[in-house]
Amino acid sequence: MNKHGFFIKKVQVEGGSKEIRSARFRRGLNVIYGPSDTGKTLIYQCIDYMLGSSKRPKDMSIPEIEGYSLCKLEIESFNGDTFLLERALKGGDIKLYDKDNNLVDTLKIKNDKKSEKKTISDFLLELCNIESKEIRKNNDAQKQMLYFQDISKYFLIDEETIIIDKSPISIKPDRGFNASATFEKNVFKFLLTGEDDSAIITLLKKDEVANKTGKVQLYDELITQLELDLKDIDYEKIDEEIEKLNEKIESFRESYLTSSLEFKKYDKEKKVLFKKISLNESNLINLNEILTRSNILKKQYISDIERLKGTIEASQGLSLITTTSCPICTGTVEETVNIEELINATSVEIQKTTLLLKELESSSKIYLSEQNELNQSIVQDKKHYEEVIVKIQNQLSEVLAQISNKIKKYTSKKEELSKIKTLKEKLDSYREEKDKIEKIIKNDKASKKTSNYDELTVVLLNPIITLIKNILVEMKFDNIDNKNIGFSEELLDFSVGEKNRKAFGKGYRAILYAVFVISLLEYFRTKPYQIGFTMIDSPLNPYKEDEKKDDGVVPINLGEQFYRYLYNNIKNEQVILIENTEVPIDIKEDINYIVFDKLNGFLPNVSGV
């Protein structure tokens, strides 16, 4: 049993506070029965719309659907996976939910090859095992991708198409552009064979040939110029020379690195010496300042001692004077200062100042010693500093400059050789591209002379013709045992006896069209791909029991026999018929029989009619 394809489980419309309306389906035969204006065709339009059609349900303007805004379609793959598709009735993309109502993806409606987002076509073709197929659209072998809408016309048949007097193979799909007849035939050929046209080489158009010829001429000019530029050059030795230069450059770089390390060592020593000299000179300035202040303080101490000694001498002189009367006022002179105490205090002060002077002189000696050491150190360090400077400038810098110049010299030579090598590679590339284009042009010319594509022939249609004959025989279609079923490659349609399908009345055309669709459904059972269901709107409605044909009377039970055939032979796949022709009583209970009337259709009757 084929594990690819899918079938419809439920179609549903919702909107705000409106009553949810739905129709449920199952595998096997499903019949939606009822008179006109009960919403049967709206179900077809909703299913077609949910499977990616750009056409909104055209019954959107009727009063019954006012307020409904959302359509949902539940499908099940033949692998048992259930999905729910949801789309606004006003248009837009489709939301995809899994069986647990988790949003899986948002599927784009427009088939845009530039977009990386998944489309409804991608999703449905994946279920049918028909992904990424290319179909030839003209005799130049130009191809275009196969979309779901290109094959949906073979299993979604509306009430206008079912009676059409044109080929059921070449009906244009709903894909947004007018597909060519070649494309339509090749789509059907793919469905019969399973082989697409991706392996066919696309032929060049006239402007493409002219463009490629111009490129060949341009490459000729570039190649000629490069060959002149590279004349008399031994290409085989270029890589060898470059390798030798690389070795020399690397050797010089190692020498440069060694000298550079030595340079850095002396440079570091220079910086240390400079820092040390600067610090010592700063310390020397501080010491000179201290010694200057020490000399000033020393002079002050000596002056203080001399002054204090003078005070003692004066006090001793006063102690020798006898107390008498004042020579001016004759008053008695009283002694107000204790001379002895003054002399003692002054002596103590002299001792303190003398001690401070000695301490100052002792400190000055230390400072002078430090000053001498700093001077010597500065002189020695400056001498060493100068030697380091000379070493850096006269030896290391010159060595580094020499090595650097050699590196530049060999690098420059290497670059010249590398440019030559690049030009040679360009030359080879141009020659290769020119050869490719010339080969394409040559193959294109040969292909145009010998183009012989597989066409849609009677041989390929034989399995379908056999199935159609078997179905018509079981339906007891109009003395079919004595007639052949054929196929016209010119009309792309099959015939019954000597009469092409399009020559029958619309009732017979509708039934024969339906038989063709059912034969495809059965044919896919043996293929590694499958659609899985078909939906046909009014295949029996145009048929009238008393319709006259050129060669006899139409059997009155043909409609019943069509129902019985589907009931007996469609079990695993799904067929959905929209009809107002009665189903035989004996099979009603065993099929999914949905009956609508004027008061209770797919949508509630708001008009009361």
Side-chain angles (χ1 to χ4, degrees), residues 100-311:
D100 298 318
N101 207 34
N102 298 313
L103 180 62
V104 176
D105 203 350
T106 298
L107 305 172
K108 305 293 289 185
I109 292 297
K110 186 176 180 181
N111 295 310
D112 185 0
K113 289 188 288 186
K114 295 180 181 178
S115 175
E116 295 182 358
K117 293 185 178 179
K118 197 170 188 177
T119 66
I120 182 65
S121 175
D122 296 331
F123 171 70
L124 296 175
L125 288 177
E126 186 178 332
L127 291 181
C128 301
N129 195 31
I130 312 177
E131 308 107 299
S132 304
K133 302 299 180 182
E134 291 182 304
I135 305 298
R136 180 174 62 87
K137 66 178 183 179
N138 55 32
N139 289 333
D140 289 335
Q142 290 182 312
K143 296 164 284 189
Q144 58 196 40
M145 294 302 299
L146 177 70
Y147 298 132
F148 186 77
Q149 291 74 22
D150 296 320
I151 60 175
S152 62
K153 65 178 184 177
Y154 295 115
F155 55 90
L156 280 173
I157 317 299
D158 61 32
E159 59 184 341
E160 295 176 358
T161 302
I162 194 68
I163 60 173
I164 199 167
D165 61 354
K166 297 179 181 179
S167 166
I169 293 172
S170 61
I171 297 172
K172 302 299 185 288
D174 172 26
R175 63 180 287 150
F177 64 85
N178 187 20
S180 68
T182 301
F183 177 79
E184 295 305 312
K185 287 193 294 183
N186 288 329
V187 168
F188 192 71
K189 180 167 68 70
F190 161 73
L191 291 177
L192 294 178
T193 63
E195 296 179 2
D196 71 342
D197 299 318
S198 57
I200 294 177
I201 299 175
T202 301
L203 301 180
L204 299 177
K205 296 180 180 179
K206 288 183 179 179
D207 57 341
E208 291 176 327
V209 173
N211 178 269
K212 291 187 181 298
T213 303
K215 285 184 177 180
V216 169
Q217 293 172 350
L218 175 61
Y219 279 128
D220 273 335
E221 294 177 7
L222 294 171
I223 289 168
T224 300
Q225 185 59 50
L226 283 173
E227 285 176 341
L228 288 174
D229 294 340
L230 299 173
K231 189 178 180 182
D232 300 328
I233 292 177
D234 188 354
Y235 304 122
E236 295 181 359
K237 292 185 178 180
I238 288 179
D239 287 334
E240 184 180 340
E241 289 296 321
I242 290 176
E243 184 62 30
K244 289 179 179 178
L245 289 171
N246 280 333
E247 291 175 0
K248 289 182 179 180
I249 290 169
E250 186 61 31
S251 174
F252 284 126
R253 280 179 177 166
E254 290 177 1
S255 298
Y256 187 92
L257 179 61
T258 302
S259 299
S260 179
L261 291 173
E262 190 175 0
F263 177 89
K264 288 179 181 179
K265 183 186 78 170
Y266 282 109
D267 187 61
K268 182 178 180 182
E269 186 177 0
K270 181 192 76 171
K271 290 177 180 178
V272 171
L273 286 170
F274 181 81
K275 186 176 181 180
K276 182 181 178 184
I277 291 168
S278 298
L279 180 61
N280 285 342
E281 286 179 339
S282 177
N283 290 337
L284 184 60
I285 291 170
N286 291 334
L287 278 175
N288 289 337
E289 181 66 24
I290 291 171
L291 287 171
T292 299
R293 292 180 180 275
S294 295
N295 287 331
I296 294 172
L297 186 57
K298 180 178 179 181
K299 290 178 181 179
Q300 184 65 44
Y301 285 160
I302 292 172
S303 175
D304 288 345
I305 291 171
E306 291 299 324
R307 179 179 54 78
L308 290 170
K309 285 181 178 179
T311 300

Side-chain angles (χ1 to χ4, degrees), residues 35-66:
S36 300
D37 298 325
T38 57
K40 302 192 308 296
T41 296
L42 179 61
I43 291 178
Y44 172 91
Q45 293 172 349
C46 285
I47 290 175
D48 186 35
Y49 178 68
M50 292 305 297
L51 294 179
S53 173
S54 60
K55 296 178 182 178
R56 296 169 59 198
K58 60 184 178 182
D59 288 339
M60 289 288 293
S61 59
I62 64 175
E64 287 83 355
I65 204 169
E66 184 177 347

Side-chain angles (χ1 to χ4, degrees), residues 83-97:
F83 301 96
L84 180 67
L85 304 173
E86 179 183 284
R87 188 181 184 189
L89 285 169
K90 65 180 181 181
D93 296 328
I94 295 177
K95 292 182 178 178
L96 174 66
Y97 297 87

